[in-house]
């Protein structure tokens, strides 16, 4: 028996234990409301951090700002090719799940951490719930697309954020294990908005000027030097300052290719903490991004978004033109800080009670597995 297993109450002494596996920045955001909902429901909730994201700006600051519990275990896998990273998490998860002995495992989103944890739990015959199930870009070149599809098919409970995600799950024969709960990011985004709205966080690189907030980190944009150079040239030539919040992958690739990020309109800062990002989106004249989460947050915060991709999983954000796809950034000069649509932003992601519904669904999944009535 390992030291961790010795410290934990054994199965007879404790309430329902759920293990959440997270490892990358967007998962820490999704974990926050779910953790609170699990606590409210009296679930013994343990977090495993895979260590996929290890830079403080992508990990520690999120735990501190969002009130996340210290992980029960940190696997420390770090970076690597997809196979190496996914494999390292998969092999380390085995012992973690033996030690933690959960009644259910919850995974989030579409990263390598999501897939590895789901595969491990499936092989150990532990019930798995996937938060943010059913998203599809239909672009099989994206690593996230493989992760989404494989995770949904390994899961016992597919918790969908939108009606369209439910349709995608049904198309793949997964309707009977799918449930529409809404998007857990709504509640955390609105909560942080309310915290920062009246006292915006200072952005020293920008001051009081109008600006565009930008992020760029997807492999399809960062890993081809010609494409990366083109996108950055287009950002640099915008007529207003562009605050580029740079993911470590972008910094590493720009340096490898000898590309100067700080050029023209672009002012580079390290990846932002969550409250700073929410504050920046609220104050900005527009968001330019290839991130999935930021497309949603822009809509939730009523800021126009331009997405540097040829497709999006979050097609609802395109309604009324709140989000516009501009795959090569060719239209950025008139899109980036465009006038917002006259319409109220649509709210396709639920009413902000998704985390509560996640917790109810997980309790019910465990109850039905045990042949017990739901708690
Ligand atoms: C991962 C997810 C992506 C998610 C993103 C959020 C996969 C396949 N991709 O992409 O879906 O949108 O997280 O940020 O899981 N690096 C560091 N420090 C870190 C983390 C990464 O320097 O703390 C650098 C390394 O050079 C690494 C590269 O970033 O090789 C890529 O990191 P990785 O976790 O593989 O994917 P992300 O691009 O962050």
């Amino acid at each position: 028996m390992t030291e961790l297993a010795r410290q934990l109450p054994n199965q007879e002494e404790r309430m329902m234990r759920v293990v959440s596996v997270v490892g990358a920045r967007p998962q820490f955001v999704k974990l926050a409301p779910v953790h609170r909902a699990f606590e409210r429901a009296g679930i013994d909730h343990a977090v495993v951090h895979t260590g996929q994201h290890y830079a403080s700006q992508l990990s520690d600051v999120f735990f501190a700002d969002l009130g996340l519990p210290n992980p029960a275990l940190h696997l420390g896998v770090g970076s690597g090719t997809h196979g190496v990273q996914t494999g390292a998490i998969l092999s380390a998860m085995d012992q973690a799940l033996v030690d933690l002995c959960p009644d259910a495992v919850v995974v989030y989103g579409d990263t390598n951490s999501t897939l590895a944890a789901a595969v491990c739990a499936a092989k150990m015959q532990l019930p798995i719930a996937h938060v943010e199930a059913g998203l599809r870009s239909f672009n099989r070149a994206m690593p996230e697309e493989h992760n989404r599809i494989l995770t949904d098919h390994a899961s016992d409970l597919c918790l969908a954020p939108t009606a369209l995600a439910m349709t995608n799950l049904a198309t793949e024969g997964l309707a009977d294990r799918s449930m529409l709960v809404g998007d857990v990011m709504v509640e955390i985004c609105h909560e942080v908005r309310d915290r920062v709205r009246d006292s915006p966080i200072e952005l020293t690189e920008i001051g009081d000027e109008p600006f565009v907030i930008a992020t760029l980190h997807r492999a399809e944009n960062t890993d081809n030097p010609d494409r990366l150079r083109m996108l950055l040239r287009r950002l640099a030539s915008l007529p207003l300052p562009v605050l580029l919040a740079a993911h470590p992958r972008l910094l590493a690739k720009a340096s490898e290719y000898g590309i100067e990020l700080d050029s023209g309109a672009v002012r580079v800062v390290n990846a932002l903490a969550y409250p700073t990002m929410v504050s920046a989106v609220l104050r900005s004249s527009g968001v330019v991004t290839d991130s999935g989460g930021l497309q949603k947050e822009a809509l939730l915060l009523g800021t126009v978004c331009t997405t540097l991709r040829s497709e999006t999983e979050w097609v609802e954000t395109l309604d009324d033109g709140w989000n516009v796809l501009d795959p090569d950034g060719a239209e950025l000069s008139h899109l980036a800080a465009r006038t917002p649509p006259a319409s109220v932003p649509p709210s396709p992601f639920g009413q902000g009670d998704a985390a509560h519904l996640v917790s109810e669904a997980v309790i019910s999944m465990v109850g039905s597995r045990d042949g017990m009535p739901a708690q």
Side-chain angles (χ1 to χ4, degrees):
M1 187 186 256
T2 63
E3 188 49 36
L4 176 68
R6 253 190 297 278
Q7 287 165 14
L8 293 165
N10 66 36
Q11 210 155 9
E12 291 74 45
E13 290 168 351
R14 62 172 170 82
M15 46 197 170
M16 178 184 299
R17 180 178 297 145
V18 174
V19 165
S20 282
V21 185
V22 292
R25 177 173 58 177
Q27 292 162 335
F28 309 139
V29 178
K30 291 163 200 159
L31 177 65
V34 174
H35 170 65
R36 284 201 304 240
F38 283 163
E39 276 203 319
R40 277 195 299 270
I43 291 173
D44 174 12
H45 184 214
V47 173
V48 174
H49 188 322
T50 65
Q52 173 169 352
H53 283 175
Y54 44 90
S56 166
Q57 85 220 55
L58 297 191
S59 176
D60 300 357
V61 296
F62 284 77
F63 275 75
D65 287 334
L66 301 177
L68 295 175
N70 286 331
L73 265 180
H74 197 296
L75 305 181
V77 298
S79 302
T81 60
H82 291 295
V84 165
Q85 191 176 56
T86 309
I89 299 167
L90 183 52
S91 72
M93 276 306 300
D94 249 6
Q95 188 61 47
L97 292 180
V98 168
D99 286 348
L100 291 166
C101 194
D103 298 294
V105 175
V106 181
V107 298
Y108 302 77
D110 57 16
T111 72
N112 291 337
S113 297
T114 315
L115 174 63
V119 171
C120 184
K123 289 190 178 294
M124 295 180 74
Q125 301 193 13
L126 289 165
I128 310 161
H130 181 203
V131 173
E132 211 177 77
L135 272 283
R136 298 291 181 265
S137 65
F138 302 100
N139 176 357
R140 298 279 296 205
M142 287 177 77
E144 292 82 2
E145 185 76 350
H146 316 151
N147 291 342
R148 292 179 194 121
I149 294 171
L150 294 167
T151 301
D152 283 338
H153 285 258
S155 295
D156 300 281
L157 184 57
C158 294
L159 298 167
T162 62
L164 181 59
M166 286 294 282
T167 305
N168 292 336
L169 290 162
T171 304
E172 294 175 26
L174 301 176
D176 59 350
R177 52 176 122 147
S178 301
M179 186 183 290
L180 179 61
V181 292
D183 196 315
V184 297
M185 283 176 64
V186 173
E187 47 230 86
I188 188 72
C189 180
H190 284 164
E191 181 190 311
V192 174
R193 173 200 63 192
D194 294 345
R195 228 195 288 162
V196 300
R197 190 162 33 196
D198 297 330
S199 43
I201 296 169
E202 196 189 345
L203 298 166
T204 45
E205 297 74 11
I206 292 296
D208 293 329
E209 309 163 72
F211 69 99
V212 164
I213 175 82
T215 74
L216 204 57
H217 79 279
R218 294 260 172 214
E220 67 252 35
N221 285 335
T222 59
D223 291 12
N224 172 331
D226 294 336
R227 179 165 176 81
L228 181 57
R229 214 169 262 118
M230 174 186 73
L231 293 173
L232 289 165
R233 206 180 43 240
R234 288 179 165 159
L235 282 172
S237 60
L238 289 184
L240 73 176
V242 175
L243 187 68
L244 178 60
H247 184 288
R249 175 197 277 277
L250 174 62
L251 295 172
K253 290 294 174 184
S255 148
E256 182 184 332
Y257 305 145
I259 299 172
E260 185 61 56
L261 290 178
D262 247 317
S263 149
V266 173
R267 303 179 193 177
V268 182
V269 288
N270 283 330
L272 299 178
Y274 190 71
T276 314
M277 179 55 90
V278 169
S279 182
V281 172
L282 273 174
R283 281 179 49 201
S284 73
S285 307
V287 172
V288 177
T289 192
D290 58 5
S291 149
L294 210 44
Q295 292 172 58
K296 283 187 286 178
E297 281 151 359
L299 185 76
L300 291 168
L301 298 168
T303 303
V304 292
C305 182
T306 309
T307 297
L308 299 173
R309 288 177 52 194
S310 45
E311 75 284 309
T312 177
E313 308 73 44
W314 302 104
V315 288
E316 300 84 353
T317 61
L318 302 173
D319 287 356
D320 296 345
W322 282 94
N323 184 18
V324 173
L325 300 177
D326 184 16
D328 301 327
E331 312 294 327
L332 268 186
S333 57
H334 66 267
L335 284 179
R338 65 190 180 277
T339 307
S343 63
V344 174
S347 52
F349 305 121
Q351 300 313 309
D353 58 353
H356 172 69
L357 297 175
V358 166
S359 113
E360 286 197 330
V362 169
I363 289 169
S364 160
M365 171 178 72
V366 173
S368 63
R369 177 66 80 106
D370 293 347
M372 310 249 296
Q375 199 173 299

